[in-house]
Amino acid sequence: MKKVKVFITLKESVLDPQGQAVMQSLHNMDYRNVRDVRIGKYIELEMEDSADVAEQVDAICDKLLANTVIENYRYEIEEEHL
Amino acid sequence: MKTAVIVFPGSNCDQDMYYAIKDGLGEEVDYVWHAETSLDGFDAVMIPGGFSYGDYLRSGAIARFAGIMPAVIEAAKAGKPVLGVCNGFQILLEAGLLPGAMLKNKHLKFICETVNLKAENSETLFTSLYKKDEIIHIPIAHGEGNYYCDDQTLQELKDNHQIVFTYDGENPNGSRANIAGIINKAGNVLGMMPHPERAADALLGSDDGLRLFQSILNHWRESAHAAYTS
């Protein structure tokens, strides 16, 4: 089995209103040294072993998990020890 | 004219759309469940607002892969009028029938109010009964209506007159270029965040939305007439 960790973030060029709200809050808490906050999604997939897992994960991200108009994604594939 | 209103799990403006067409327009309309696979016999397709599949993952992302969507895409390619309102607009974006994507409203608030819309393009099959630049009153109700597209797409939208509605006055959600509704290049697929079906009767506070449905009907009658006489 493979464990796939997918990280989805808004592209740098896209305003992240959630991140901006959290940054404002951090500034209000006096963490003035926080320069930017970006909020993303973390998705875990458990997948059966196959030769083309990476290829499949790319397709899964492109088709469904990320909207590549506004989001970037990256992922890590780990051996799952049951 | 026979119209299909697609119903996804979580659609909540399907009945408003149904009654706008049945009572407002006085035309035939049917609900089509998302698991159906055919739209044969329908002349127009409406994708209503709501929260399809709970908007889990992203607005419209899961609905885009529903069983009925290949038939919606086929209808769009065949030139039939396809209207997506609110969540329906988000689904059309996810399906790639319209360019761009939706972000959360700039101030992160869910907004429910009646806004002033400007009819930027009154030469579409959806807007022929509006005057160019006419201001109309249509309700909005959304948390993710902040339309985004890159610079090149925005230029294309402008060059091809694909921006159909803009917010007049204050932009409620931060959308690019005040965009409230856009049409595809072929001119038969319209996506808009405001709800014309909720402004289809004076009892609702405005009947400015009814003319959108009447425009579709007029277009259908004209093309049916053209087909009959040719």
Side-chain angles (χ1 to χ4, degrees):
Chain A
M1 294 290 278
K2 298 275 194 243
K3 185 180 213 173
V4 184
K5 298 175 170 177
V6 183
F7 303 87
I8 295 166
T9 49
L10 281 171
K11 286 182 176 174
E12 284 302 317
S13 57
V14 175
L15 174 77
D16 176 0
Q18 281 177 295
Q20 292 296 303
V22 171
M23 183 168 76
Q24 192 55 52
S25 179
L26 290 171
H27 286 180
N28 293 343
M29 292 159 72
D30 261 342
Y31 294 106
R32 302 268 164 192
N33 54 337
V34 178
R35 284 282 164 242
D36 197 16
V37 177
R38 308 286 290 177
I39 291 180
K41 287 177 203 155
Y42 170 63
I43 299 170
E44 282 182 3
L45 309 173
E46 208 173 279
M47 295 177 69
E48 287 169 22
D49 277 329
S50 72
D52 60 346
V53 165
E55 221 168 280
Q56 287 186 32
V57 174
D58 271 316
I60 286 169
C61 289
D62 282 329
K63 283 184 194 162
L64 182 64
L65 299 187
N67 180 336
T68 54
V69 175
I70 47 171
E71 294 169 327
N72 291 324
Y73 65 84
R74 67 180 176 84
Y75 55 84
E76 296 164 6
I77 300 176
E78 292 174 2
E79 204 63 46
E80 177 91 303
H81 299 289
L82 297 175
Chain B
M1 184 174 78
K2 190 173 175 188
T3 299
V5 174
I6 312 290
V7 182
F8 295 97
S11 294
N12 64 13
C13 302
D14 44 346
Q15 296 191 21
D16 306 59
M17 191 70 94
Y18 184 96
Y19 286 104
I21 292 159
K22 181 169 172 277
D23 296 342
L25 203 57
E27 289 290 312
E28 202 181 341
V29 56
D30 260 334
Y31 295 117
V32 176
W33 185 235
H34 67 105
E36 297 286 326
T37 53
S38 168
L39 287 166
D40 288 351
F42 289 103
D43 303 301
V45 180
M46 308 281 145
I47 309 182
F51 297 87
S52 57
Y53 304 88
D55 274 353
Y56 295 133
L57 191 64
R58 275 188 324 277
S59 306
I62 298 175
R64 182 258 172 276
F65 291 100
I68 195 64
M69 285 309 289
V72 171
I73 291 166
E74 196 183 313
K77 288 193 172 144
K80 289 182 185 172
V82 176
L83 171 67
V85 169
C86 201
N87 194 234
F89 185 11
Q90 294 161 340
I91 293 168
L92 292 177
L93 293 172
E94 286 286 339
L97 287 171
L98 293 169
M102 284 295 171
L103 298 169
K104 288 190 196 304
N105 292 346
K106 195 174 173 191
H107 298 294
L108 293 172
K109 276 196 285 191
F110 186 97
I111 314 162
C112 182
E113 59 187 28
T114 297
V115 297
N116 290 341
L117 283 190
K118 189 195 271 189
E120 297 276 348
N121 184 345
S122 58
E123 291 178 8
T124 78
L125 72 90
F126 301 94
T127 54
S128 58
L129 292 176
Y130 297 110
K131 289 194 263 309
K132 163 113 179 89
D133 294 337
E134 183 180 348
I135 305 299
I136 57 174
H137 306 285
I138 308 272
I140 56 168
H142 59 247
E144 291 184 40
N146 181 352
Y147 177 80
Y148 172 84
C149 62
D150 60 25
D151 293 343
Q152 190 193 335
T153 306
L154 181 62
Q155 196 55 50
E156 278 175 28
L157 290 175
K158 286 178 177 170
D159 291 347
N160 300 321
H161 308 288
Q162 287 174 257
I163 300 171
V164 174
F165 294 111
T166 55
Y167 299 106
D168 188 62
E170 196 189 348
N171 180 336
N173 52 37
S175 66
R176 265 212 103 167
N178 297 322
I179 285 172
I182 56 170
I183 201 162
N184 65 338
K185 268 186 197 153
N188 67 306
V189 178
L190 174 69
M192 60 192 293
M193 287 315 293
H195 289 268
E197 80 282 6
R198 291 191 191 174
D201 190 309
L203 265 178
L204 300 171
S206 168
D207 60 359
D208 284 346
L210 186 58
R211 277 181 287 157
L212 190 143
F213 299 103
Q214 289 167 335
S215 297
I216 300 172
L217 179 59
N218 280 0
H219 169 81
W220 178 79
R221 282 181 174 149
E222 280 162 20
S223 33
H225 181 71
Y228 180 74
T229 52
S230 64

